[in-house]
Amino acid sequence: MRAALALPPAGPRRPAVIVIHEVFGLNDDIRRMTGRFADLGYVALAPDLYDAGGARPLCIARTMLALRRRDGPAFAALEAARRWLGERSEVDAARTGVAGFCMGGGFALLYAVRAPLGAAAVFYGEVPKTAEELGGVCPVVAGYGARDRFFAGQGRRLEEHLKQLGVPHDVRIYLGAGHSYMSRHTGLLATLGAWGPMAVGFDAAAEPDSWARVEAFFRTHLG
Protein backbone atom coordinates (compact mmCIF):
# COMPACT_ATOMS: atom_id res chain seq x y z
CA MET A 1 0.00 0.00 0.00
CA ARG A 2 1.31 3.42 -0.94
CA ALA A 3 1.50 5.97 1.84
CA ALA A 4 3.08 9.32 2.68
CA LEU A 5 5.36 9.28 5.71
CA ALA A 6 6.50 12.44 7.48
CA LEU A 7 9.05 12.33 10.29
CA PRO A 8 9.76 14.91 13.00
CA PRO A 9 13.38 15.74 13.90
CA ALA A 10 15.33 12.87 15.44
CA GLY A 11 14.83 12.40 19.15
CA PRO A 12 13.14 10.10 21.66
CA ARG A 13 10.34 7.78 20.61
CA ARG A 14 7.38 9.84 19.45
CA PRO A 15 3.62 9.42 19.30
CA ALA A 16 2.20 8.69 15.86
CA VAL A 17 -0.76 9.91 13.82
CA ILE A 18 -2.55 8.16 10.97
CA VAL A 19 -3.81 10.78 8.50
CA ILE A 20 -6.84 9.78 6.40
CA HIS A 21 -7.42 11.55 3.11
CA GLU A 22 -10.52 13.11 1.58
CA VAL A 23 -12.42 11.60 -1.33
CA PHE A 24 -9.79 13.10 -3.68
CA GLY A 25 -7.24 10.60 -2.40
CA LEU A 26 -3.62 10.87 -1.31
CA ASN A 27 -2.73 14.16 -3.02
CA ASP A 28 -0.29 16.98 -2.36
CA ASP A 29 -2.69 18.68 0.03
CA ILE A 30 -2.89 15.59 2.26
CA ARG A 31 0.89 15.27 2.09
CA ARG A 32 1.10 18.89 3.26
CA MET A 33 -1.15 18.13 6.23
CA THR A 34 0.84 14.99 7.03
CA GLY A 35 3.96 17.14 7.14
CA ARG A 36 2.18 19.56 9.45
CA PHE A 37 1.68 16.77 12.00
CA ALA A 38 5.39 15.96 11.75
CA ASP A 39 6.15 19.63 12.41
CA LEU A 40 4.16 19.23 15.64
CA GLY A 41 6.39 16.34 16.67
CA TYR A 42 4.42 13.31 15.50
CA VAL A 43 5.43 10.47 13.19
CA ALA A 44 2.67 10.86 10.61
CA LEU A 45 1.52 8.37 7.99
CA ALA A 46 -1.16 8.95 5.34
CA PRO A 47 -2.13 5.63 3.73
CA ASP A 48 -3.63 5.61 0.25
CA LEU A 49 -7.00 3.90 0.69
CA TYR A 50 -7.37 3.71 -3.10
CA ASP A 51 -4.20 1.69 -3.61
CA ALA A 52 -5.96 -1.65 -3.88
CA GLY A 53 -5.63 -2.21 -7.62
CA GLY A 54 -8.18 -1.73 -10.35
CA ALA A 55 -9.68 1.38 -11.90
CA ARG A 56 -9.71 4.46 -9.69
CA PRO A 57 -13.52 4.94 -9.82
CA LEU A 58 -13.90 1.36 -8.60
CA CYS A 59 -11.43 1.98 -5.76
CA ILE A 60 -13.34 5.09 -4.69
CA ALA A 61 -16.67 3.25 -4.79
CA ARG A 62 -15.23 0.33 -2.80
CA THR A 63 -13.85 2.70 -0.17
CA MET A 64 -17.10 4.62 0.17
CA LEU A 65 -18.98 1.34 0.50
CA ALA A 66 -16.66 0.32 3.35
CA LEU A 67 -17.48 3.60 5.11
CA ARG A 68 -21.21 2.96 4.74
CA ARG A 69 -20.94 -0.66 5.90
CA ARG A 70 -18.32 0.19 8.55
CA ASP A 71 -16.28 -2.75 7.43
CA GLY A 72 -14.10 -3.73 4.52
CA PRO A 73 -10.62 -3.33 3.00
CA ALA A 74 -10.29 0.34 3.95
CA PHE A 75 -10.46 -0.48 7.66
CA ALA A 76 -7.97 -3.31 7.16
CA ALA A 77 -5.67 -0.78 5.47
CA LEU A 78 -5.93 1.58 8.44
CA GLU A 79 -5.13 -1.23 10.83
CA ALA A 80 -2.13 -2.22 8.70
CA ALA A 81 -0.94 1.40 8.85
CA ARG A 82 -1.29 1.48 12.65
CA ARG A 83 0.66 -1.76 13.08
CA TRP A 84 3.36 -0.64 10.64
CA LEU A 85 3.80 2.62 12.53
CA GLY A 86 3.97 0.77 15.82
CA GLU A 87 6.90 -1.31 14.59
CA ARG A 88 9.03 1.70 13.70
CA SER A 89 11.89 2.52 16.06
CA GLU A 90 10.87 6.20 16.20
CA VAL A 91 7.35 5.43 17.44
CA ASP A 92 5.87 4.84 20.86
CA ALA A 93 3.07 2.52 19.73
CA ALA A 94 1.06 3.12 22.90
CA ARG A 95 0.57 6.75 21.83
CA THR A 96 -1.15 6.64 18.45
CA GLY A 97 -3.88 8.92 17.15
CA VAL A 98 -5.84 9.40 13.97
CA ALA A 99 -6.89 12.43 11.94
CA GLY A 100 -9.27 12.54 9.00
CA PHE A 101 -10.75 15.07 6.61
CA CYS A 102 -14.18 14.83 4.94
CA MET A 103 -14.49 11.15 3.95
CA GLY A 104 -11.40 10.58 6.08
CA GLY A 105 -13.12 12.26 9.01
CA GLY A 106 -15.87 9.65 8.87
CA PHE A 107 -13.30 6.87 8.76
CA ALA A 108 -11.31 8.43 11.61
CA LEU A 109 -14.33 8.48 13.88
CA LEU A 110 -15.35 4.90 13.16
CA TYR A 111 -11.78 3.60 13.36
CA ALA A 112 -11.38 5.34 16.72
CA VAL A 113 -14.17 3.11 18.04
CA ARG A 114 -12.46 -0.15 17.14
CA ALA A 115 -8.73 0.57 17.44
CA PRO A 116 -6.58 1.25 20.54
CA LEU A 117 -6.07 4.96 19.90
CA GLY A 118 -5.41 7.83 22.26
CA ALA A 119 -7.10 10.65 20.33
CA ALA A 120 -8.94 11.38 17.08
CA ALA A 121 -9.16 14.58 15.03
CA VAL A 122 -12.33 14.61 12.92
CA PHE A 123 -12.86 17.36 10.36
CA TYR A 124 -16.18 17.71 8.55
CA GLY A 125 -16.74 13.97 8.62
CA GLU A 126 -19.90 11.87 8.73
CA VAL A 127 -21.24 10.96 12.20
CA PRO A 128 -23.34 7.90 13.17
CA LYS A 129 -26.95 8.61 14.05
CA THR A 130 -26.85 7.21 17.59
CA ALA A 131 -24.42 7.69 20.46
CA GLU A 132 -24.34 3.94 21.05
CA GLU A 133 -22.59 3.49 17.72
CA LEU A 134 -19.65 5.48 19.12
CA GLY A 135 -19.37 3.43 22.29
CA GLY A 136 -15.70 3.03 23.24
CA VAL A 137 -14.48 5.96 21.12
CA CYS A 138 -11.32 7.73 22.27
CA PRO A 139 -11.19 11.50 23.01
CA VAL A 140 -12.19 13.55 19.95
CA VAL A 141 -11.31 17.01 18.66
CA ALA A 142 -13.40 18.09 15.69
CA GLY A 143 -14.22 20.98 13.39
CA TYR A 144 -17.08 21.76 11.00
CA GLY A 145 -18.10 24.76 8.92
CA ALA A 146 -21.46 26.38 9.68
CA ARG A 147 -21.92 27.30 6.00
CA ASP A 148 -21.72 23.62 5.02
CA ARG A 149 -25.39 22.66 4.73
CA PHE A 150 -24.62 18.94 4.51
CA PHE A 151 -22.20 18.50 7.40
CA ALA A 152 -22.68 21.31 9.94
CA GLY A 153 -25.52 19.33 11.53
CA GLN A 154 -23.21 16.33 11.80
CA GLY A 155 -20.89 18.40 13.95
CA ARG A 156 -23.70 19.29 16.34
CA ARG A 157 -24.73 15.64 16.45
CA LEU A 158 -21.16 14.59 17.25
CA GLU A 159 -20.96 16.95 20.19
CA GLU A 160 -24.25 15.66 21.60
CA HIS A 161 -23.10 12.04 21.23
CA LEU A 162 -19.80 12.70 22.99
CA LYS A 163 -21.51 14.57 25.80
CA GLN A 164 -23.93 11.68 26.27
CA LEU A 165 -21.05 9.18 26.33
CA GLY A 166 -18.94 11.28 28.68
CA VAL A 167 -16.01 11.26 26.24
CA PRO A 168 -13.49 14.15 26.42
CA HIS A 169 -13.99 16.32 23.37
CA ASP A 170 -13.53 19.67 21.69
CA VAL A 171 -16.01 20.18 18.87
CA ARG A 172 -16.27 23.55 17.16
CA ILE A 173 -18.49 24.81 14.35
CA TYR A 174 -16.96 27.81 12.60
CA LEU A 175 -19.54 30.38 11.58
CA GLY A 176 -17.71 31.77 8.56
CA ALA A 177 -16.39 28.48 7.19
CA GLY A 178 -17.75 25.90 4.79
CA HIS A 179 -16.68 22.37 3.91
CA SER A 180 -13.00 21.46 3.50
CA TYR A 181 -11.95 24.68 5.20
CA MET A 182 -8.55 23.20 6.09
CA SER A 183 -7.75 22.17 2.53
CA ARG A 184 -6.30 24.23 -0.31
CA HIS A 185 -8.13 22.78 -3.29
CA THR A 186 -7.71 24.26 -6.75
CA GLY A 187 -9.26 23.73 -10.16
CA LEU A 188 -12.77 23.39 -11.52
CA LEU A 189 -14.13 21.18 -8.73
CA ALA A 190 -12.97 23.66 -6.11
CA THR A 191 -14.63 26.52 -7.97
CA LEU A 192 -17.91 24.66 -8.37
CA GLY A 193 -17.84 23.47 -4.77
CA ALA A 194 -17.43 26.99 -3.46
CA TRP A 195 -20.77 27.96 -5.00
CA GLY A 196 -22.61 24.82 -3.91
CA PRO A 197 -24.49 24.05 -0.69
CA MET A 198 -21.32 22.82 1.00
CA ALA A 199 -19.54 26.16 0.47
CA VAL A 200 -16.24 24.35 -0.12
CA GLY A 201 -13.15 26.43 0.44
CA PHE A 202 -10.12 27.20 2.58
CA ASP A 203 -10.84 29.50 5.51
CA ALA A 204 -7.92 31.60 6.74
CA ALA A 205 -9.45 32.06 10.20
CA ALA A 206 -10.79 28.59 10.94
CA GLU A 207 -7.77 26.65 9.63
CA PRO A 208 -5.08 27.99 12.01
CA ASP A 209 -7.47 27.84 14.96
CA SER A 210 -8.19 24.19 14.17
CA TRP A 211 -4.50 23.34 14.05
CA ALA A 212 -3.99 25.07 17.41
CA ARG A 213 -6.83 23.04 18.91
CA VAL A 214 -5.47 19.80 17.47
CA GLU A 215 -2.02 20.54 18.86
CA ALA A 216 -3.36 21.27 22.36
CA PHE A 217 -5.74 18.30 22.35
CA PHE A 218 -3.18 15.82 21.07
CA ARG A 219 -0.59 17.10 23.56
CA THR A 220 -3.06 16.31 26.34
CA HIS A 221 -4.13 12.89 25.13
CA LEU A 222 -1.09 11.62 23.18
CA GLY A 223 1.75 13.58 24.71
Side-chain angles (χ1 to χ4, degrees), residues 17-21 30 33-34 37 44-47 78 97-101:
V17 177
I18 302 164
V19 182
I20 310 177
H21 59 72
I30 293 298
M33 293 184 179
T34 305
F37 279 104
L45 182 73
L78 294 175
V98 65
F101 305 87

Side-chain angles (χ1 to χ4, degrees), residues 27-71:
N27 56 20
D28 288 342
D29 198 55
I30 293 298
R31 291 185 178 91
R32 174 184 64 83
M33 293 184 179
T34 305
R36 184 71 177 266
F37 279 104
D39 292 341
L40 296 177
Y42 300 96
V43 177
L45 182 73
D48 183 355
L49 299 185
Y50 300 157
D51 192 29
R56 186 175 179 84
L58 180 61
C59 292
I60 295 173
R62 185 166 47 231
T63 302
M64 295 299 295
L65 183 61
L67 181 61
R68 293 287 178 268
R69 292 180 173 176
R70 303 178 191 179
D71 192 27

Side-chain angles (χ1 to χ4, degrees), residues 3-179:
L5 175 68
L7 299 173
R13 294 173 71 193
R14 307 296 184 91
V17 177
I18 302 164
V19 182
I20 310 177
H21 59 72
E22 296 180 307
V23 72
F24 301 114
L26 179 56
N27 56 20
D28 288 342
D29 198 55
I30 293 298
R31 291 185 178 91
R32 174 184 64 83
M33 293 184 179
T34 305
R36 184 71 177 266
F37 279 104
D39 292 341
L40 296 177
Y42 300 96
V43 177
L45 182 73
D48 183 355
L49 299 185
Y50 300 157
D51 192 29
R56 186 175 179 84
L58 180 61
C59 292
I60 295 173
R62 185 166 47 231
T63 302
M64 295 299 295
L65 183 61
L67 181 61
R68 293 287 178 268
R69 292 180 173 176
R70 303 178 191 179
D71 192 27
F75 287 99
L78 294 175
E79 182 62 11
R82 185 186 69 83
R83 292 182 178 275
W84 186 85
L85 276 171
E87 293 173 356
R88 292 189 64 90
S89 60
E90 308 97 333
V91 172
D92 178 357
R95 297 187 292 158
T96 302
V98 65
F101 305 87
C102 187
M103 179 192 78
F107 271 110
L109 192 58
L110 294 177
Y111 186 60
V113 172
R114 64 176 68 191
L117 301 173
V122 176
F123 290 98
Y124 28 89
E126 188 174 350
V127 178
K129 292 183 178 180
T130 67
E132 289 75 16
E133 294 170 274
L134 292 181
V137 73
C138 63
V140 176
V141 57
Y144 291 79
R147 296 175 58 225
D148 180 354
R149 297 180 190 173
F150 289 168
F151 284 89
Q154 305 260 351
R156 291 186 283 269
R157 178 194 296 171
L158 176 59
E159 184 163 29
E160 289 301 316
H161 286 353
L162 297 174
K163 284 180 179 178
Q164 182 177 334
L165 294 168
V167 173
H169 64 278
D170 176 7
V171 179
R172 189 165 303 177
I173 299 176
Y174 293 97
L175 295 180
H179 195 75

